[in-house]
């Protein structure tokens, strides 16, 4: 991490920190005062998105259903598959809470980040102790991608939108499979809501 003055905030991001077992200890040993921002979304949607992205790179992988279940008829979910395991947020959070206080972690709703980006980023700015500078006027919704894009109101430069790999159409998954996964995640989601004091309404 670069040297940072007291008047500055340095940000760094990666999608894998939250689910990497060693990450909390390493980050805490670097700076136990670090504040953490975690974007979470409906774990079923997240797993399908994860699979869709992998499928675009490896078209010969097994079906989503084959990977998601050890035994589909018994509803036995395969928690060793990364796409499933990542969405068990409470398990990862418990690991982080061995090194950081809950007040040091801010959870962003991935769904609200799309429907109300200014509101979600307003809460991020509050969490970081920043003045709310980013507002509604900094966004416009890109219908082609299905995501909001960031723009500078005072600038004529092109808006910044998500990359080509984002916003692709998800693989169609059988409704019954989705329901089975919802049932599987429900107890994990409830514990997660209770722990963070926020209902993400994923059911």
């Amino acid at each position: 991490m670069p040297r940072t003055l007291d008047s500055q905030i340095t940000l760094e991001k990666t999608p894998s920190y939250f689910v990497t077992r060693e990450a909390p200890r390493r980050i805490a040993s670097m700076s136990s005062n670090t504040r953490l921002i975690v974007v979470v979304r409906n774990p079923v949607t997240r797993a399908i998105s994860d699979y869709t992205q992998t499928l675009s790179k490896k078209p010969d992988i097994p079906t989503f259903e084959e990977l998601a279940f050890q035994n589909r008829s018994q509803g036995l979910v395969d928690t060793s598959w990364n796409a499933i395991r990542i969405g068990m947020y409470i398990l990862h959070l418990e690991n982080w809470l061995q090194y950081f206080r809950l007040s040091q972690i801010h959870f962003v709703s991935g769904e609200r980040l799309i429907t109300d980006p200014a509101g979600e980023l307003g809460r991020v700015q509050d969490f970081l102790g920043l003045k709310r500078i980013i507002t509604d006027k900094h966004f416009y919704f890109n219908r082609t991608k299905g995501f909001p894009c960031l723009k500078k109101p005072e600038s004529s430069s092109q808006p910044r939108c998500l990359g080509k790999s984002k916003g692709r159409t998800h693989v169609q998954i059988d409704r019954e499979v989705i329901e089975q996964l919802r049932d599987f995640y429900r107890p994990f989601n409830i514990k997660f809501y209770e722990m963070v004091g926020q209902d993400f309404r994923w059911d």
Side-chain angles (χ1 to χ4, degrees):
M1 297 293 280
R3 291 184 180 275
T4 305
L5 300 175
D6 287 343
S7 59
Q8 296 175 314
I9 291 178
T10 302
L11 297 172
E12 200 272 348
K13 71 175 179 71
T14 181
S16 60
Y17 282 157
F18 187 59
V19 298
T20 302
R21 185 117 202 112
E22 307 79 26
R25 180 184 53 77
R26 289 178 178 172
I27 294 171
S29 67
M30 180 197 73
S31 173
S32 59
N33 295 321
T34 298
R35 279 179 281 184
L36 307 151
I37 299 169
V38 184
V39 181
V40 290
R41 66 190 291 202
N42 183 317
V44 178
T45 312
R46 206 218 67 77
I48 296 168
S49 177
D50 192 317
Y51 177 78
T52 301
Q53 185 168 346
T54 305
L55 188 65
S56 70
K57 297 171 187 170
K58 301 176 183 175
D60 55 347
I61 60 171
T63 66
F64 180 85
E65 290 87 341
E66 288 174 296
L67 292 167
F69 293 92
Q70 288 179 352
N71 186 317
R72 167 95 194 277
S73 61
Q74 293 178 16
L76 194 58
V77 174
D78 190 348
T79 57
S80 69
W81 185 33
N82 226 21
I84 293 292
R85 191 180 58 80
I86 288 172
M88 299 161 73
Y89 302 127
I90 186 65
L91 304 185
H92 309 301
L93 178 57
E94 285 169 348
N95 185 33
W96 282 87
L97 291 177
Q98 293 178 52
Y99 299 91
F100 294 93
R101 298 182 311 279
L102 190 59
S103 60
Q104 288 176 265
I105 309 174
H106 177 75
F107 291 93
V108 173
S109 163
E111 289 81 13
R112 284 197 304 264
L113 195 56
I114 294 169
T115 60
D116 179 23
E120 278 302 296
L121 287 178
R123 286 181 279 277
V124 168
Q125 290 170 97
D126 293 346
F127 172 69
L128 295 174
L130 300 171
K131 182 182 171 187
R132 284 198 179 199
I133 294 172
I134 300 169
T135 63
D136 281 329
K137 66 183 180 183
H138 291 91
F139 297 95
Y140 88 94
F141 192 78
N142 182 319
R143 292 188 185 282
T144 307
K145 279 207 154 299
F147 286 101
C149 297
L150 189 62
K151 62 180 181 177
K152 292 182 180 175
E154 66 285 348
S155 168
S156 58
S157 63
Q158 287 290 311
R160 295 283 304 273
C161 292
L162 292 170
K164 289 177 182 173
S165 68
K166 303 295 181 185
R168 64 165 67 89
T169 304
H170 286 176
V171 175
Q172 285 298 306
I173 305 297
D174 185 78
R175 192 82 225 153
E176 195 178 310
V177 168
I178 290 172
E179 288 305 320
Q180 282 180 294
L181 288 176
R182 277 186 178 159
D183 290 344
F184 165 76
Y185 278 118
R186 191 167 290 114
F188 294 100
N189 291 345
I190 290 168
K191 285 181 186 173
F192 180 64
Y193 298 165
E194 288 171 352
M195 180 74 82
V196 303
Q198 189 176 346
D199 185 346
F200 291 91
R201 302 184 184 280
W202 291 325
D203 286 321

